[in-house]
Amino acid sequence: MEVRRFFLHVRNHPRAVALVPTHAISDPNGSFISIAIHKGRADDDSGGVRVKITTESIAASLQYYSPLDIDAVYGCAGILDYQGDTFIFFATRCQPVCNLTELNASAGSRSVFRLTQAISLSLTDPFFDMQACRRASGGGVLDDPIQGDIDLYGVTSPCAQMLTFLESGAFFFSPHFDITRTAQSQRLRAIATDEPGVFDPDPKFLWNSNILQVFTDFRLHMCGTAEREAFDTAGYAIYLIQGAVDSFYAGSNDAPLTMYLISRSSSMRSGMRFLTRGVDDEGGVANEVETEVIIVTRSLTFSHVQIRGSVPAFWTQEGLQIGSHRVHITRSAKATMPATQRHFADLLGRYKRVNAINLLKQNGSSGTYDGSDNGAGVPEASLGQFYQSMITAMGLPSSIIAYTGFDYHYEVKGGNFDRVGGLIRQIGPLLSSYRYYLADNESDVILSLQRGVQRTNCLDCLDRTNVVQSVLSRAVLSEFMRQNDIVPRSALSAVMDGIGQLWRANGNAISRSYAGTGALKSDVTTSGKSGWAGFLSDASKSLSRLMQNNFQDKGKQSVIDTLLGSGDSGLVSRPVLLYDPYEREIAADLRRELERVSRKDSIHVLLCTYNLHGNPYRGEPLGSWLVMSRSVRPDIVAIGFQEVVNLDVQSVIAADTANRRIWEQVLTAEINAQYRKAFGSKADGEYALVSSEQLVGVAL
């Protein structure tokens, strides 16, 4: 299957951008799509930008458009309203990475491409057209490529940072298959769906879902499967994953074998290392990555999936981070449980069974940990204990969610990295029972399904996690090859070396996206050993991480939030909605129906504020301040502090949170005491800390 490409044409009065398929440009019966902002009546209360997509005839309408001096593009990556203008993004250059069906031609092409260059065009103004043309050609002002986002008048494109992020080398797409899903998921959906030829990307791993929503809605408005399939086949929209894709050829001419590794980063809670930790209320966790190893021979297709992700609790690392592994747990076990349950519910829905492998330190503390924090933070061992207690509290049998603790640093102390093999022996029965996906290429019969997943975490889910996941992958692949006689025993070593190289590249890619540098201990991932060269490389990467994480990550986080429509992106971006000519006709009826079937509830909020003058809690009685009325029970208690720290240079630079942490515990206890005092036997449940934020001396 060929890769579809498009010529870009624009119309300025009124402004519109057209995608014209290259194969249809000379076809009098051909068609193209036109994208423009709909400027209708001003009674739209959505607060968003309405975009109109129409299918037009080349013979009748293309004459009203002018071609841009840009080589044919690969498709549209989405539409974003940003800083008062609306921009549409296109993939202009890409790099072929691999073809997953190279040894299985009967399955059709499954090529994967890395996005290497993108451009943006305004849907309101031709001002940036020349800038986009210059960027696409690789040149800038006076042929200086560094200036590709600056026009002759020194004006920088508002989308410059977004385009740089998309061109980071971490984004991949395929025009031929749904790259957001594993081989097993694709196969099972093809069996169950009524629309086998229609793309249905997984929103969890689709990174441009937010800016591609207009195209998604446009497809939903189409009449029937055939029309949607034709739209997908045309390739107007590209579906991006962030992560890593790589391949390695092994075997012989008589028995060829190709190995692929695909990592898909979750878009649910994405961001940079020290700015995005733990879990959110929807159950998304930081640095959650699904990694799939695929092996294809002439007769078989094998797939095995692992996942990584931050500890699903509410925790942070604050202040200037210089090798510190002390963390702050910001919610109690009771307040954390709903989010932890949502996280594991998602995993069980996808993978059926989960083994949670925790690589955090386990020495230095004993017993259980309830999440209390005295303001100075707790060691990572306490975070691990809190995690284990949350899994236990969910009350699910170990056959559904198992927990495996493995103190990585203690076990490999002194360079004994081969001791990771002890973990393989410990979880061997689970690896065997979880199995892997296996299909016969000739008959298309499924021979085996993977029925469980290993979920691995350390603190960052980077270096320790990558080493352990590579060892787990080798163990599963070795057993599969032994059972199926895939390669001669003499060639097995070369295959394992290839897997090590894939995991090394994967670890570096994930680490660059989350921490800004390649992974530490990458030599261990490849060979299982480390030396002085690896030590010096790790030291250099650690220093680079320190600088980037503390001084550069906030800008990157802002770009990620804008792309995904999360965080504070609503301050600079309005929602982009599809214009539907029939929506206005039925909107009034829908509002009346909504009023009929819904109800409105009021909530009561208790607001309290106090100026601490930088003082810690000294045992003062708080009852008269936090007293509750017996007639109304507050649903939410919001407390604001001024001068929670002394406003001196030392406290401001250190971003000291110790005082706030102590007050959090004191206030939680006092609020519940006042609740029980006011309502007595009618006091069901208790208040739990949901969120706490501090900006220098102001805390909420």
Side-chain angles (χ1 to χ4, degrees), residues 339-462:
T340 304
Q341 288 175 325
R342 290 188 188 100
H343 173 68
F344 278 102
D346 174 67
L347 297 186
L348 293 176
R350 293 172 180 274
Y351 309 110
K352 309 311 176 189
R353 292 184 288 175
V354 178
N355 178 34
I357 302 175
N358 177 25
L359 304 180
L360 296 177
K361 292 180 181 179
Q362 298 182 45
N363 58 329
S365 57
S366 59
T368 60
Y369 177 69
D370 61 1
S372 59
D373 187 337
N374 62 5
V378 297
E380 68 171 61
S382 296
L383 178 63
Q385 290 176 341
F386 187 68
Y387 179 27
Q388 183 178 7
S389 69
M390 296 302 296
I391 292 178
T392 302
M394 284 193 290
L396 293 174
S398 58
S399 59
I400 302 298
I401 299 180
Y403 175 86
T404 302
F406 185 81
D407 189 336
Y408 177 89
H409 285 320
Y410 176 80
E411 294 293 339
V412 306
K413 186 168 55 179
N416 295 313
F417 296 104
D418 57 336
R419 295 187 64 177
V420 177
L423 173 63
I424 305 302
R425 292 186 291 273
Q426 183 179 352
I427 66 172
L430 290 176
L431 286 175
S432 298
S433 64
Y434 287 0
R435 299 286 291 167
Y436 44 76
Y437 171 76
L438 186 64
D440 186 285
N441 291 339
E442 297 179 1
S443 63
D444 206 25
V445 172
I446 298 175
L447 305 176
S448 172
L449 290 174
Q450 183 172 345
R451 300 183 182 277
V453 71
Q454 307 294 331
R455 184 202 188 278
T456 308
N457 75 271
C458 51
L459 199 65
D460 300 320
C461 301
L462 293 176

Side-chain angles (χ1 to χ4, degrees), residues 637-687:
V637 179
I639 298 176
F641 281 140
Q642 299 88 48
E643 296 187 42
V644 71
V645 297
N646 288 318
L647 298 183
D648 53 41
V649 175
Q650 181 179 355
S651 298
V652 171
I653 293 178
D656 187 13
T657 61
N659 202 20
R660 187 190 95 214
R661 300 291 181 187
I662 295 172
W663 276 102
E664 287 172 0
Q665 298 179 47
V666 171
L667 291 173
T668 300
E670 183 63 33
I671 289 169
N672 281 304
Q674 293 298 322
Y675 175 47
R676 290 188 292 270
K677 180 179 179 181
F679 293 92
S681 60
K682 296 181 180 179
D684 55 331
E686 61 181 26
Y687 288 90

